[in-house]
Amino acid sequence: MTALKQYQRIEATGLWRPSPDVQRREVVVSIGEATLTISDFNDRALTHWSLAALERQNPGSYPAIFNPDGDPDETLELEESETTMITAIDRLQKAIDRSRPHPGRLRWLSVAGVVAAVVALLLLWVPAALQSHVVSVVPEIKRYDIGDTILHRIERVSGAACTSEDAQAALDQLATRTGVREVVILPAGAQTSLSLPGGIILLNRSLVEDHEDPSIAAGYIIAERARAAVQDPLDELLDRTGPTTAFRLLTTGELTPEIVDAYTEQVLSEPRPSLSDQDLLEVFAQAALPSTPYAYAVDVTGETTLGLIEADPMAGRPLPQVLPDRDWVRLQNICGE
């Protein structure tokens, strides 16, 4: 013990009284490994006190008065001039206290650990569990209402969705052919495509106006279906807007305009999440649609989408028509001039 090595040769004089009815006598006080030895001037030990069980009756006052733990009647007085001895006793007691076990501290650490675990559970598991529960219980009609609300908010940025009596039937056919509830063509806003809760797929007008093959627009819809299979659009909305949105949706069934605005700003400004070729090809195969036209629309060189071209599920097979030419032409003109 470093403190002990520093003070093990210290001696001092003091006044010792074994009981209140005995006169105080001058003694020599010395420090041992764990004891305080009180001796007379003939070097004869009168008593030994354990440093660990030593108490000071008057901290900060002088003369310093000490007594063994549990026996305040036996005292030792050290004058202020014996500063070295008093300091040594104090430091050695602290060193001994640090070396002994502290059950109370261990209990406190155990309690703190349990509290930390509970807090971590509340912060990490409960929000995720709440969100998962909300996604599982919201009915399809409510999902559609949420998607429609988001669409109306997007239209404030993109302009009203393109509509045409001549083209509406073709748009409905495209939705049926690609296995989604509704396809909406926007004049601006969406970079390419976007999947909303309730099976609503948004397409930028360029996907129908700039391509002669309806398989390309269908491919972008299929890509959104694949993204929805990886992560439910409602789950994505809750991810982006936080656990309070999940709680509000569970308790009130409604989203505030602020929540809708926050989500809309994010999805319109960020690129769509990338997907693995396998995830995409599975949905193309389910819909019996070729993946090659979509692959070249994404990358005209085909370098980054080579997997979709080489593993096209419809390669070498008869291709069911996505839309009749007449209907496709009508759909290309849905946004007008």
Side-chain angles (χ1 to χ4, degrees):
M1 193 184 303
T2 303
L4 179 59
K5 291 178 180 178
Q6 181 181 353
Y7 294 118
Q8 62 185 358
R9 298 182 181 276
I10 292 178
E11 291 186 346
T13 59
L15 295 176
W16 172 65
R17 180 164 62 184
S19 61
D21 57 350
V22 177
Q23 186 175 357
R24 294 180 300 174
R25 59 184 294 186
E26 192 170 16
V27 294
V28 177
V29 183
S30 60
I31 290 180
E33 184 172 350
T35 61
L36 195 69
T37 302
I38 299 175
S39 308
D40 61 18
F41 285 94
N42 294 321
D43 203 25
R44 182 174 60 194
L46 300 174
T47 187
H48 297 274
W49 289 358
S50 170
L51 286 170
L54 190 63
E55 294 182 348
R56 183 171 177 178
Q57 296 181 1
N58 59 341
S61 300
Y62 295 95
I65 303 174
F66 297 91
N67 64 268
D69 184 21
D71 188 6
D73 293 335
E74 183 179 3
T75 60
L76 172 67
E77 297 181 19
L78 295 176
E79 295 295 332
E80 188 173 3
S81 58
E82 301 293 354
T83 303
T84 303
M85 174 60 76
I86 295 171
T87 302
I89 292 172
D90 181 61
R91 292 193 60 183
L92 288 172
Q93 283 185 306
K94 290 179 180 178
I96 292 170
D97 184 64
R98 285 194 299 269
S99 66
R100 65 175 59 168
H102 296 273
R105 184 180 303 168
L106 181 61
R107 285 194 296 271
W108 184 89
L109 290 174
S110 299
V111 172
V114 171
V115 171
V118 171
V119 170
L121 181 67
L122 292 175
L123 293 178
L124 300 177
W125 181 82
V126 171
L130 173 64
Q131 180 170 321
S132 178
H133 176 67
V134 170
V135 171
S136 68
V137 300
V138 173
E140 192 62 29
I141 187 65
K142 186 60 186 178
R143 289 169 178 264
Y144 183 79
D145 287 344
I146 293 172
D148 195 49
T149 299
I150 296 171
L151 171 59
H152 290 319
R153 179 61 185 86
I154 291 175
E155 285 181 310
R156 291 167 56 187
V157 177
S158 67
C162 299
T163 60
S164 166
E165 290 185 9
D166 290 341
Q168 187 57 49
L171 196 60
D172 293 340
Q173 288 182 59
L174 182 62
T176 301
R177 179 67 183 85
T178 52
V180 298
R181 179 171 185 168
E182 182 179 353
V183 176
V184 177
I185 309 296
L186 293 178
Q191 298 177 30
T192 53
S193 59
L194 180 63
S195 178
L196 299 181
I200 303 173
I201 304 296
L202 311 184
L203 295 181
N204 187 286
R205 66 186 294 180
S206 63
L207 294 181
V208 295
E209 292 180 348
D210 296 349
H211 303 283
E212 296 304 319
D213 187 353
S215 295
I216 293 174
Y220 276 91
I221 297 172
I222 293 300
E224 288 302 334
R225 275 187 56 190
R227 291 188 181 95
V230 172
Q231 184 180 27
D232 190 303
L234 180 59
D235 190 46
E236 181 189 7
L237 183 151
L238 299 179
D239 262 350
R240 290 177 178 274
T241 55
T244 56
T245 301
F247 182 76
R248 171 179 287 276
L249 191 57
L250 182 65
T251 55
T252 69
E254 303 297 333
L255 299 179
T256 65
E258 292 76 18
I259 292 173
V260 175
D261 286 349
Y263 171 73
T264 302
E265 288 174 8
Q266 291 182 51
V267 295
L268 292 182
S269 62
E270 298 177 7
R272 299 301 290 142
S274 59
L275 293 165
S276 70
D277 289 349
Q278 185 61 37
D279 288 336
L280 281 167
L281 289 169
E282 286 181 4
V283 186
F284 272 104
Q286 292 170 9
L289 283 167
S291 57
T292 298
Y294 168 77
Y296 280 116
V298 172
D299 181 358
V300 68
T301 68
E303 293 179 2
T304 61
T305 55
L306 187 60
L308 298 178
I309 297 170
E310 292 183 340
D312 189 333
M314 301 303 293
R317 299 172 59 184
L319 298 178
Q321 192 175 37
V322 176
L323 284 177
D325 290 341
R326 181 182 59 184
D327 291 333
W328 176 240
V329 171
R330 288 174 176 172
L331 191 56
Q332 287 183 299
N333 294 313
I334 193 171
C335 292
E337 296 298 329

